[in-house]
Every structure is written in C-alpha cells, then in structure tokens.
C-alpha cells in the first residue's frame, strides 16, 4: 500500500503533489516565498553579488538570516555560490537558470505592486 507516500522525484509527465507535506516542490516554494527568499532572488535579478553587497542591498536582513536563506536557495538549485580562495574569502552569489526562471515572475509581481502604490510622499 503506497497511499500517503510522496515520491521525491516525479517521472516523465508526472507532477509533484504540492499539497502533501513531504513534497519536495512544496519545500522549494516555502524557501522562495520565505520572508527573505523573495528579496534575495529579486536582489540577484540583474547582477551577481558578493555576500556583503547582498546584505547591504536587502535592508533589515541580518547576516545570520542571509546566510541561512542563501544556504537553502543554493541547496534548492536556485542560487549558485562561488568562493574565491583569498583572505578573507570572497563569496559571490548569482541566479542559476532555475533561479532566473523562478525569479522573473517574482520581479514582475514586485514591479506591478510598486507601480500601483502612490508615489513616495504623496497623500
């Protein structure tokens, strides 16, 4: 009996059961839509950035939360990480093809929201 069992990979033509708690796709959606995941993807949409550049571009994020968010996005295959063997190490992050594919509609959503908001300082 396989009822209630979620397979980790879907075969050709099969889809993940995103309503099942063990679904891998559900985990990726949770990571992308986490408090900081969406901002990391939007921040990396145009350029690869070093860790400190990301931290400065996303106001309000702590180093710990940025590191945790980047770790899961790298594990999910959305973000790549490159370490330069310098002292101190230079770590650069960028979007993978999958990350660009996922980040594009998020950026579009963000752009649509900001177009609808009143200009800053307007009543």
């Amino acid at each position: 009996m396989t009822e209630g069992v979620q397979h980790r990979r879907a075969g050709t033509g099969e889809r993940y059961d995103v309503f099942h708690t063990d679904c891998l796709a559900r985990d990726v959606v949770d990571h992308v839509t986490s408090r900081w995941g969406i901002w990391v993807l939007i921040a990396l949409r145009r350029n690869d950035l070093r860790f400190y550049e990301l931290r400065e571009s996303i106001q309000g994020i702590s180093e710990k939360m940025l590191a945790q968010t980047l770790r899961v996005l790298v594990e999910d295959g959305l973000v790549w990480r490159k370490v330069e063997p310098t002292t101190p190490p230079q770590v650069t992050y960028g979007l993978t093809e999958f990350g660009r594919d996922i980040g594009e509609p998020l950026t579009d959503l963000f752009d649509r929201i900001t177009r609808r908001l009143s200009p800053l300082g307007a009543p």
Side-chain angles (χ1 to χ4, degrees):
M1 184 165 170
T2 61
E3 188 175 326
V5 174
Q6 174 64 41
H7 300 286
R8 300 295 283 174
R9 289 216 174 266
T12 306
E14 294 179 42
R15 300 190 58 105
Y16 287 98
D17 180 4
V18 295
F19 295 104
H20 194 283
T21 58
D22 294 335
C23 180
L24 181 61
R26 186 175 179 162
D27 290 341
V28 174
V29 169
D30 286 345
H31 298 155
V32 167
T33 60
S34 70
R35 179 173 183 186
W36 300 111
I38 192 168
W39 299 116
V40 169
L41 294 175
I42 290 172
L44 292 171
R45 73 186 181 270
R46 291 196 181 108
N47 297 311
D48 304 337
L49 297 172
R50 292 187 37 206
F51 184 87
Y52 80 90
E53 293 171 320
L54 265 171
R55 188 186 69 227
E56 290 182 7
S57 70
I58 305 171
Q59 294 183 4
I61 193 169
S62 67
E63 283 190 29
K64 177 183 175 183
M65 286 310 303
L66 179 57
Q68 288 176 357
T69 301
L70 286 166
R71 188 176 307 114
V72 296
L73 294 175
V74 167
E75 288 173 4
D76 290 340
L78 297 163
V79 172
W80 56 261
R81 178 180 189 262
K82 179 181 176 187
V83 180
E84 296 286 334
T86 59
T87 305
Q90 294 181 5
V91 184
T92 305
Y93 295 89
L95 295 178
T96 63
E97 183 179 336
F98 183 34
R100 283 189 301 277
D101 194 37
I102 297 300
E104 187 175 317
L106 296 175
T107 298
D108 187 46
L109 174 65
F110 176 76
D111 290 344
R112 287 174 187 233
I113 290 169
T114 57
R115 280 194 306 264
R116 292 286 187 157
L117 295 175
S118 298
L120 292 176

